[in-house]
């Protein structure tokens, strides 16, 4: 075909009407300079864990640091340790860290939390439920260790009336201004039964379940967490899935001991209740439930803490963050960093730092079709808050 001036003009108009060619892809050097997510706060690394996964940490009034490793499936030679001279040392010794089901009250079976009480003791919260099994009878307990002698000085076994077959004691706060020897408030973070708050008299060993099955201690049925860009669900190797559903977990006590803050692991809401009502045997379940205050959303947390001025801190495992509740009830992000993979358990040290574990809990095999995606090391971090821990006496 011979192109005439008219045909040439038609061809040119067609070409001009065609979509423009895509832009040239960025060169590798350009991609390396692409914008990235901003961090917030000055995150400081304290310690790396290359073996078992830790969940809890606490810093004593003299600056000693303790951690714990629940027996969830990792090889756990000791379930409580002190970080000493850059190493993990079984605490108080290796013998007590050997689970002895013939002496459930006399050995550590599976420890979920350690808490320094600010008055010379480390308290160990033993679930007695390795792998979230039914608690071994007589094994769920609080154990006090004298930090000067490094010896166990008190063991309080939870009475049978507060430990259900589904109970998993998770975290604890103390108030030594109440009772003869103080009171402990403990969360039950059951995965299959009712959540609740256990109020334990440390002198008598008597305990009561409060807010058991209450909406404030239960998983939020509408909760659908997203972690690392993926909906977090229990995913089996057989392809079956189920919701991530865990009851009351984080807990914090106001500096005057009058208010207990708590939240379910599978929820974004913070709740508060009067401790006087919690301790009052004459307050009925419905009346106590009616007294609970929903303080609104704070993010999804696996750890709460309060400082001496009354501020409340919460981890936010969906956003690799730690948040602080301001006096007006609003929340501000204190620290955000990609390394904060599942911030778990908060503790304020005497140095004005907030310490916490990052343990990649969401990468466990149970959430990933049987594949363990955790990458060692796990980390212990801290961020400066210029605040003192809430007093316990």
């Amino acid at each position: 075909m011979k192109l005439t001036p008219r045909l040439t003009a038609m061809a040119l108009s067609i070409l001009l009407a065609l979509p423009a060619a895509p832009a040239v892809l960025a060169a590798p050097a350009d991609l390396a300079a692409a914008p990235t997510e901003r961090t917030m706060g000055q995150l400081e690394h304290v310690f790396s864990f290359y073996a078992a996964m830790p969940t809890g940490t606490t810093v004593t009034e003299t600056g000693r640091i303790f951690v714990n490793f629940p027996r969830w499936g990792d090889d756990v030679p000791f379930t409580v340790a002190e970080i000493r001279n850059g190493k993990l040392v079984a605490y108080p010794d290796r013998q007590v860290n050997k689970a002895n089901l013939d002496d459930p009250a006399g050995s550590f079976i599976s420890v979920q939390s350690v808490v320094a009480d600010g008055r010379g003791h480390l308290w160990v919260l033993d679930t007695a439920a390795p792998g979230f099994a039914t608690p071994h009878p007589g094994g769920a307990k609080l154990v006090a260790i004298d930090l000067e002698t490094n010896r166990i000085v008190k063991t309080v076994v939870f009475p049978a009336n507060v430990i259900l077959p589904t109970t998993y004691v998770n975290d604890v706060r103390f108030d030594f201004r109440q009772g003869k020897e103080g009171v402990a408030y403990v969360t039950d973070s059951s995965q299959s039964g009712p959540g609740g708050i256990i109020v334990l008299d440390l002198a008598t060993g008597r305990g009561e379940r409060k807010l058991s099955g209450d909406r404030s201690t239960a998983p939020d049925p509408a909760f659908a967490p997203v972690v690392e860009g993926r909906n977090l669900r229990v995913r089996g190797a057989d392809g079956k899935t189920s919701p991530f559903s865990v009851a009351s977990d984080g807990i914090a006590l106001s500096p005057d001991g009058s208010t207990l803050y708590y939240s379910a692991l599978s929820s974004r809401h913070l709740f508060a209740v009067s401790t006087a009502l919690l301790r009052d045997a004459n307050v009925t379940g419905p009346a106590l439930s009616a007294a609970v205050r929903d303080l609104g959303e704070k993010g999804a947390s696996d750890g709460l803490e309060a400082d001496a001025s009354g501020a409340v801190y919460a981890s936010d495992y969906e956003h690799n963050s730690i948040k602080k509740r301001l006096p007006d009830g609003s929340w501000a992000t204190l620290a955000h960093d990609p390394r904060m993979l599942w911030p778990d358990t908060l503790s304020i040290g005497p140095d004005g730092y907030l310490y916490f574990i990052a343990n990649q809990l969401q990468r466990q095999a149970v959430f990933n079709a049987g594949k363990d995606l955790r990458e060692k090391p796990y980390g212990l971090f801290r961020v400066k808050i210029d605040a003192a821990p809430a007093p316990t006496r």
Side-chain angles (χ1 to χ4, degrees):
M1 177 185 292
K2 183 178 179 180
L3 290 176
T4 66
R6 182 178 179 183
L7 289 175
T8 302
M10 290 176 61
L12 180 60
S13 65
I14 292 172
L15 287 172
L16 291 173
L18 292 175
V24 177
L25 293 177
D30 296 327
L31 291 177
T36 59
E37 186 177 22
R38 293 187 180 95
T39 62
M40 294 182 68
Q42 193 68 35
L43 191 66
E44 298 183 21
H45 176 264
V46 178
F47 192 80
S48 294
F49 304 87
Y50 288 91
M53 184 184 85
T55 59
T57 188
T58 191
V59 185
T60 74
E61 62 269 28
T62 61
R64 294 169 69 178
I65 302 175
F66 296 88
V67 292
N68 66 269
F69 309 87
R71 291 187 164 111
W72 286 353
D74 290 341
D75 179 18
V76 179
F78 41 80
T79 187
V80 178
E82 180 178 5
I83 299 175
R84 193 183 303 164
N85 299 321
K87 296 181 179 180
L88 291 171
V89 180
Y91 192 82
D93 56 49
R94 279 188 173 267
Q95 187 60 38
V96 76
N97 274 275
K98 295 179 180 178
N100 180 4
L101 298 185
D102 292 328
D103 182 19
S107 65
F108 296 161
I109 300 172
S110 182
V111 172
Q112 176 63 29
S113 296
V114 286
V115 175
D117 65 8
R119 54 198 293 271
H121 298 94
L122 176 74
W123 288 84
V124 173
L125 180 61
D126 190 351
T127 69
F132 301 96
T134 297
H136 192 80
K141 57 189 175 290
L142 276 169
V143 178
I145 304 171
D146 186 301
L147 290 168
E148 185 174 348
T149 64
N150 299 316
R151 293 183 178 180
I152 293 174
V153 293
K154 190 176 187 63
T155 298
V156 184
V157 175
F158 287 97
N161 66 299
V162 302
I163 300 295
L164 309 178
T166 56
T167 290
Y168 190 85
V169 288
N170 188 287
D171 207 351
V172 58
R173 292 295 179 266
F174 298 94
D175 188 352
F176 299 102
R177 292 160 291 204
Q178 303 297 327
K180 185 178 179 181
E181 295 182 25
V183 172
Y185 304 100
V186 183
T187 48
D188 180 349
S189 62
S190 175
Q191 298 185 53
S192 57
I197 307 295
I198 298 171
V199 182
L200 189 66
D201 187 299
L202 297 174
T204 65
R206 289 195 296 268
E208 295 292 337
R209 287 184 66 89
K210 297 299 181 78
L211 299 170
S212 187
D214 188 76
R215 70 175 186 88
S216 66
T217 60
D220 181 349
F223 181 64
V226 176
V227 186
E228 292 192 280
R230 185 182 185 213
N231 183 240
L232 184 69
R233 293 178 64 85
V234 175
R235 291 181 166 87
D238 58 2
K240 295 181 179 179
T241 72
S242 59
F244 175 63
S245 183
V246 184
S248 43
D249 183 294
I251 191 170
L253 188 64
S254 64
D256 63 0
S258 67
T259 303
L260 191 73
Y261 302 95
Y262 60 96
S263 63
L265 188 61
S266 297
S267 172
R268 297 185 185 92
H269 282 249
L270 179 69
F271 294 93
V273 68
S274 160
T275 55
L277 295 180
L278 277 176
R279 297 190 306 271
D280 191 338
N282 296 317
V283 177
T284 64
L288 184 59
S289 181
V292 171
R293 291 177 290 145
D294 185 341
L295 300 181
E297 292 199 5
K298 53 161 178 44
S301 303
D302 197 359
L304 298 176
E305 188 56 287
D307 67 23
S309 69
V312 177
Y313 302 83
S315 69
D316 183 347
Y317 59 76
E318 289 184 289
H319 301 102
N320 304 336
S321 301
I322 301 291
K323 293 181 176 179
K324 178 181 180 179
R325 188 170 188 263
L326 304 178
D328 65 359
S330 64
W331 291 87
T333 299
L334 184 68
H336 164 72
D337 193 290
R339 293 172 293 173
M340 294 166 62
L341 290 167
W342 202 281
D344 188 346
T345 305
L346 310 179
S347 177
I348 300 174
D351 51 6
Y353 279 89
L354 180 71
Y355 291 73
F356 62 93
I357 295 286
N359 59 20
Q360 306 170 52
L361 185 145
Q362 80 283 4
R363 294 183 178 182
Q364 292 180 103
V366 68
F367 302 116
N368 296 286
K371 297 179 181 179
D372 186 356
L373 303 182
R374 296 172 297 174
E375 298 178 66
K376 297 176 183 176
Y378 313 111
L380 172 64
F381 297 95
R382 68 180 186 178
V383 60
K384 192 75 169 179
I385 61 172
D386 291 319
T392 58
R393 56 179 175 177

